[in-house]
Amino acid sequence: MRVKSMWYQACHATLFLFSVFILSGTSRAQDSLPVSLSLAGFHGDDLSMTSCCASDPCDGMSCDAMACDGMSCCASDPCDGMSCDAMACDGMSCSDASHQCFGGKSCGSRFKLTEFNIYPTFSYLDDKAASYNEFEFASITDLGWLEMENRTVMNVTDLPSTIKLGPTNFADGGTTANVRSSGFGDVLSGFFFSPRGSHEKNTHLGLGTVITFPTASDDLLGSNQYTAGPGAHFSTEKGRLTAGFFLWQSWGFGGDSSAKRVNQLFGKPFILYELNKKWDAVFIPLGMSHSWDAKKGDDWTVPLGGGLRREFDCGNRKLALTTQMFDYVSRKSKDPEYELRFTIEYLLD
C-alpha cells in the first residue's frame, strides 16, 4: 500500500514547479489576469483597462488606428465619456452590455484567476504525525447575467493509517496499523453561481455544487469514489471583520463498489479581523464535518483555535503568511488531536 518515496518527491517537485510557473509568468496587457488574494472571497479591483473612443483623437492618436487589444488609446483618460460603439475589442463592441465583463468596465477576458493559496498542514495523534499539503485555485467566469466562481483543491499528503484528513476523507475504511502512505489525494472542485457583480459587494452569496474525484494514489489517501452534492459560499465584510463559510453536502457514488458510501456535511468557516495594516487575527481551519451514517460519538469533526496572518512586500508583489494552531474538541476515531496549519498566499494584484 505504501507509495515509493521517489513518487512522493516527484509529486512535490511537480506542484512546486507548476506554482513557480503560475507566479512568474508574464503576459500582454490584454491577457494579464487581475488577481487579488483574499481568504474570505473576491475583493479585488475591476480590470483597469479603460474604453477606447471611436472619434476622439486621444492626444494625437486616432482610435481608428488602434487595435484596442487591451490598451486604452487614451491611457488612463476615459476619453471624456465618449463611447466606443465603432471600436472592436477582440472582435466585440465595448458598448455591448453582453460583452462587458466583470462589472462592465472593460472588454477583457470572461475568465480570471482570483486566488492561488498553499496550505501546509501538520496533524498529530499520540506519537503519529501527518502532513496535508493543499493547493487551492480560485477563479471567476462571466456568464452574462451570472458569475461562476470555481474553487479547485488538490493535495499531496503523507499519512499514517491512524489519521485521515481532508474533505473527501470521512474516517472510514480498513487500514493496517503502522502503515504510512504518501502521494496525491482526491481532487475537489466547487462551482458557485451568483448575480454578476455580487463579488464586488460587501456581502456575497453563491449557490451551486461541489464534486470530488477519486484521484488518490493510494486507498488510504481518498474515499475511492466520486462524490457530489449542493454547496454554498457566503462572505461578508463589516468594518475590520471579514467572515463567511463554504458549506456542502456530499453523497458518494461510482468508484469502488465495496467502499462505504460518503454521506457527509462539510464546512469551511473563515474569520479574519484586521488588527492593523499588516496583521490579522484569523480562524481558518481545515474544515468541520458531520458524517450522517456514523455512530454517535464518531460523527462530528470540530477543530477550535486560530492564529495570526502577516503581509510582506515581495518585490513588486505581496506575500501573506498565516500560522494557526487547532485542538479537535470533537473528533472521529481517525481525526487528529492537534493540528498546526500554515497558509501561503501569493498576492499577485
Side-chain angles (χ1 to χ4, degrees):
M1 182 180 292
R2 179 180 176 84
V3 178
K4 293 182 179 180
S5 60
M6 183 179 296
W7 166 246
Y8 181 53
Q9 294 170 1
C11 294
H12 276 84
T14 301
L15 288 169
F16 174 76
L17 291 175
F18 181 61
S19 303
V20 172
F21 173 78
I22 288 276
L23 298 176
S24 61
T26 58
S27 61
R28 296 183 306 164
Q30 78 274 20
D31 293 328
S32 62
L33 296 175
V35 178
S36 64
L37 287 170
S38 168
L39 290 171
F42 306 100
H43 309 293
D45 295 330
D46 291 318
L47 298 175
S48 59
M49 298 181 293
T50 55
S51 62
C52 300
C53 35
S55 58
D56 187 81
C58 301
D59 297 328
M61 290 197 304
S62 171
C63 281
D64 294 333
M66 297 296 292
C68 202
D69 57 353
M71 298 294 293
S72 168
C73 54
C74 305
S76 60
D77 183 17
C79 302
D80 298 326
M82 299 277 295
S83 67
C84 49
D85 292 336
M87 290 302 297
C89 291
D90 297 329
M92 300 182 295
S93 170
C94 294
S95 61
D96 186 343
S98 65
H99 298 150
Q100 293 175 348
C101 306
F102 306 116
K105 294 189 177 181
S106 71
C107 298
S109 172
R110 288 174 176 266
F111 170 88
K112 64 178 178 180
L113 183 69
T114 56
E115 296 186 30
F116 173 57
N117 301 322
I118 304 175
Y119 300 87
T121 301
F122 302 93
S123 302
Y124 303 91
L125 174 61
D126 299 327
D127 60 342
K128 303 293 184 182
S131 67
Y132 183 85
N133 302 296
E134 188 176 75
F135 298 81
E136 180 183 44
F137 302 85
S139 66
I140 298 179
T141 303
D142 185 357
L143 300 176
W145 61 276
L146 283 177
E147 291 176 345
M148 182 184 74
E149 173 192 1
N150 172 248
R151 286 179 177 263
T152 296
V153 176
M154 301 179 290
N155 62 80
V156 176
T157 62
D158 177 30
L159 302 179
S161 59
T162 54
I163 299 178
K164 299 204 79 173
L165 292 172
T168 62
N169 292 333
F170 56 110
D172 193 77
T175 56
T176 303
N178 301 319
V179 171
R180 296 188 71 94
S181 185
S182 302
F184 283 111
D186 291 346
V187 171
L188 178 147
S189 193
F191 303 87
F192 307 99
F193 299 86
S194 58
R196 173 198 263 173
S198 62
H199 285 97
E200 302 165 8
K201 299 178 180 179
N202 288 339
T203 298
H204 163 73
L205 174 65
L207 302 175
T209 186
V210 176
I211 304 170
T212 63
F213 304 88
T215 56
S217 58
D218 191 282
D219 291 348
L220 185 63
L221 305 178
S223 62
N224 300 307
Q225 60 197 283
Y226 296 89
T227 72
H233 171 207
F234 173 80
S235 64
T236 185
E237 291 186 37
K238 301 291 183 182
R240 295 187 175 188
L241 178 67
T242 299
F245 59 81
F246 292 90
L247 182 69
W248 68 91
Q249 167 66 36
S250 292
W251 290 285
F253 64 95
D256 186 355
S257 59
S258 65
K260 183 177 179 180
R261 293 304 180 193
V262 174
N263 182 10
Q264 185 181 66
L265 180 68
F266 197 92
K268 292 176 72 74
F270 52 83
I271 301 173
L272 297 89
Y273 184 80
E274 182 182 342
L275 300 175
N276 53 46
K277 291 184 178 180
K278 293 291 185 180
W279 289 93
D280 299 315
V282 299
F283 170 70
I284 310 171
L286 179 62
M288 302 178 179
S289 66
H290 177 69
S291 295
W292 299 101
D293 297 334
K295 63 182 179 180
K296 189 174 182 180
D298 198 32
D299 51 350
W300 281 99
T301 295
V302 181
L304 291 182
L308 294 173
R309 176 179 179 270
R310 175 72 159 85
E311 286 191 7
F312 300 89
D313 291 325
C314 186
N316 59 348
R317 295 175 178 172
K318 288 186 179 294
L319 177 71
L321 302 178
T322 302
T323 302
Q324 301 177 90
M325 187 71 184
F326 295 97
D327 178 9
Y328 279 69
V329 295
S330 180
R331 51 186 296 273
K332 302 182 181 74
S333 58
K334 291 180 182 176
D335 286 338
E337 289 181 306
Y338 303 101
E339 198 163 76
L340 181 62
R341 182 164 168 82
F342 300 96
T343 306
I344 304 172
E345 301 171 73
Y346 295 97
L347 310 180
L348 305 181
D349 194 14

